Amino acid sequence: MYKKMEDKDLTKLLEAGIDEFSKKGLDKANINTIALKADYSVGVIYKYYKNKDNFFLACVEHSLKLLDNVMKEVLMQEEDIVGCISLLLDKLFTESDNHANYYVMYNEITSQSCRKYATELAEKIETGTADIYAQIFTRAQDKGQINKDADPRMCAFYFDSLLMMLRFSGSLEYYNKRMRIY
């Protein structure tokens, strides 16, 4: 029987995984490199995760918790749509500075290299975000801040599309340069 990892140690391992997956993608990431960076043995990783794919999915889940927490915090703090969007942008930019590799990994997930998990990850990643954004726009409609005829789900989709580009601008070299040009 082995001693269960403490949360801080598990976080350290997941962060090392996120770093590796964000740089090399799922297929080229190396479990040995991750173990070395986290200062754990490969065996420890495989005690917790069946294989590299399961570890990758755990890393995705770990990074999503940050986004989910930020979104829920904003929804609870701000009632006004302008204040809500402003606070959300501020927090997302701060987090993209603090956790740029999360957004690089997200970009990797949305590329063809993660095709085998595309449907599963799209469902997992986008559902919560879509629901929260739709709540923001529905609340704005109820308060008369936006047109009642607007479809809150479509507003959420357009808004998220804009945010994706902004998030990538803070974490991916091409999009960062693109933003500076504009």
Side-chain angles (χ1 to χ4, degrees), residues 79-85 133-156 158-159:
E79 290 288 324
D80 176 71
I81 190 166
V82 173
C84 193
I85 289 172
Y133 291 158
Q135 286 177 46
I136 291 169
F137 288 105
T138 299
R139 190 166 63 193
Q141 281 179 319
D142 294 343
K143 291 178 174 267
Q145 296 171 328
I146 65 170
N147 189 315
K148 291 266 185 203
D149 295 332
D151 179 348
R153 299 298 287 194
M154 287 308 295
C155 290
Y158 294 137
F159 181 66

Side-chain angles (χ1 to χ4, degrees), residues 8-179:
K8 68 178 176 57
D9 297 321
L10 189 55
T11 296
K12 180 180 171 185
L13 182 61
L14 291 168
E15 290 290 334
I18 290 167
D19 190 53
E20 177 75 1
F21 291 123
S22 71
K23 289 177 182 166
K24 298 190 178 162
L26 172 59
D27 293 334
K28 293 180 182 175
N30 187 302
I31 290 292
N32 292 320
T33 302
I34 294 167
L36 186 65
K37 284 181 184 177
D39 201 26
Y40 288 101
S41 70
V42 172
V44 168
I45 295 173
Y46 287 120
K47 281 183 182 178
Y48 284 86
Y49 307 99
K50 181 177 163 184
N51 54 40
K52 182 169 78 168
D53 284 25
N54 287 103
F55 180 63
F56 170 76
L57 293 172
C59 288
V60 170
E61 189 73 33
H62 176 76
S63 67
L64 288 176
K65 285 179 188 174
L66 173 72
L67 177 62
D68 190 50
N69 290 339
V70 166
M71 305 265 296
K72 287 179 180 173
E73 181 183 330
V74 167
L75 189 62
M76 291 174 57
Q77 281 184 356
E78 269 303 327
E79 290 288 324
D80 176 71
I81 190 166
V82 173
C84 193
I85 289 172
S86 178
L87 182 60
L88 184 62
L89 288 171
D90 182 54
K91 288 190 175 288
L92 288 176
F93 274 114
T94 300
E95 292 307 326
S96 71
D97 288 343
N98 295 336
H99 300 283
N101 57 351
Y102 286 27
Y103 295 101
V104 175
M105 190 169 82
Y106 179 76
N107 187 55
E108 177 65 27
I109 290 166
T110 62
S111 73
Q112 289 295 81
S113 67
C114 266
R115 188 176 312 160
K116 65 183 168 182
Y117 295 115
T119 304
E120 175 186 345
L121 291 174
E123 183 76 25
K124 185 177 281 196
I125 293 168
E126 306 298 343
T127 301
T129 304
D131 290 343
I132 289 173
Y133 291 158
Q135 286 177 46
I136 291 169
F137 288 105
T138 299
R139 190 166 63 193
Q141 281 179 319
D142 294 343
K143 291 178 174 267
Q145 296 171 328
I146 65 170
N147 189 315
K148 291 266 185 203
D149 295 332
D151 179 348
R153 299 298 287 194
M154 287 308 295
C155 290
F157 175 71
Y158 294 137
F159 181 66
D160 187 62
S161 296
L162 290 170
L163 284 182
M164 281 178 52
M165 188 56 68
L166 284 171
R167 285 183 288 210
F168 290 157
S169 296
S171 57
L172 298 173
E173 289 178 38
Y174 176 88
Y175 292 112
N176 187 280
K177 178 66 174 179
R178 181 180 177 272
M179 184 172 72

